[in-house]
Amino acid sequence: MSNIKENLDIINQKILDAEKKSGRKQGSVKLMAVSKFHPLEAVIEAINAGQTLFGENRVQEAYSKFKPVFEEYSQIELHMIGQLQTNKVKHAVEISSCIESVDRIDLIKEIEKQCSKLNKSIKILFEYHTGEESKSGFTNDDELYKALDMFKNKNFPHVIPYGFMTMAPFTNDKELVRKSFITLRLLAEKIKNQYPMFEMPELSMGMSGDFEIAIEEGSTLVRVGTAIFGERVY
């Protein structure tokens, strides 16, 4: 017997407690259920328990899994959160409302190209490298500023810069994890001051093992998989 509803209740309560502890407004943090490697049945179960936002890493898996979901449940939203190759962008923009793992300018160009064909606007988050263990994300501030200048010059009319994402290092050292989240928050604050024309409210940080620390440090969206769906079957 699956415990998905029970697990969602527990996580949502922990999010509420962390918001309260941090003096944050109730409901200021969204929960994304990361359903990669979990079957369609698990997604349906989470939807029936009230979950509306999901995250997937692999475009092919997400495409086949969520196509039937969207036909039946119009309220469901999907974000792509895995490293994205340019040849997978076409399907990624078809099924998602946000791509969180944008780590290079070439990828933004391809997202714009595919969105313009569909006449669709899509949100993106800039993934920023904040921990030695994470291999993806902008590592170079100059490249990030170059991308933002291109947005400022209206090079990407179908793409909405909506915020930032990071992955903390895989470690039991909570201070290292916290440092990673602080780095992203400070970067976001600095960029919002320099580019006030973009709203960029989203800070996607925190996963099953560290989302409470992430909320303390300003996360607006936590990505939780294992604590909802259990261990993945690869």
Side-chain angles (χ1 to χ4, degrees), residues 15-35:
I15 289 172
L16 280 173
D17 293 344
E19 285 173 339
K20 198 172 175 183
K21 183 183 171 186
S22 314
R24 307 258 314 261
K25 196 174 119 197
Q26 186 178 327
S28 59
V29 181
K30 295 189 287 290
L31 170 62
M32 172 196 289
V34 179
S35 47

Side-chain angles (χ1 to χ4, degrees), residues 160-179:
I160 303 155
Y162 202 68
F164 304 87
M165 184 265 249
T166 198
M167 288 178 72
F170 298 108
T171 173
N172 292 325
D173 185 337
K174 289 186 174 178
E175 285 319 301
L176 265 183
V177 169
R178 189 180 295 278
K179 189 178 159 200

Side-chain angles (χ1 to χ4, degrees), residues 53-109:
L53 175 61
F54 292 84
E56 286 275 340
N57 283 52
R58 300 177 177 209
V59 176
Q60 221 163 341
E61 181 191 348
Y63 195 78
S64 58
K65 193 189 298 180
F66 276 85
K67 271 285 190 184
V69 171
F70 293 136
E71 283 163 23
E72 201 166 330
Y73 303 95
S74 58
Q75 79 276 27
I76 297 309
E77 200 180 335
L78 178 69
H79 289 194
M80 294 307 305
I81 58 174
Q83 269 191 296
L84 189 56
Q85 297 166 307
T86 45
N87 63 347
K88 299 279 169 56
V89 168
K90 179 178 181 284
H91 280 153
V93 301
E94 271 182 55
I95 54 170
S96 62
S97 60
C98 179
I99 296 174
E100 295 201 8
S101 45
V102 172
D103 57 359
R104 59 197 189 280
I105 290 169
D106 279 355
L107 183 57
I108 304 170
K109 287 178 179 173

Side-chain angles (χ1 to χ4, degrees), residues 31-47:
L31 170 62
M32 172 196 289
V34 179
S35 47
K36 65 175 180 178
F37 301 127
H38 293 289
L40 175 61
E41 294 74 29
V43 170
I44 302 296
E45 204 174 321
I47 292 169

Side-chain angles (χ1 to χ4, degrees), residues 4 7 34-39 42 208 225-234:
I4 289 173
N7 293 343
V34 179
S35 47
K36 65 175 180 178
F37 301 127
H38 293 289
S208 286
T226 308
I228 295 170
F229 296 108
E231 290 300 327
R232 295 187 181 92
V233 181
Y234 292 94

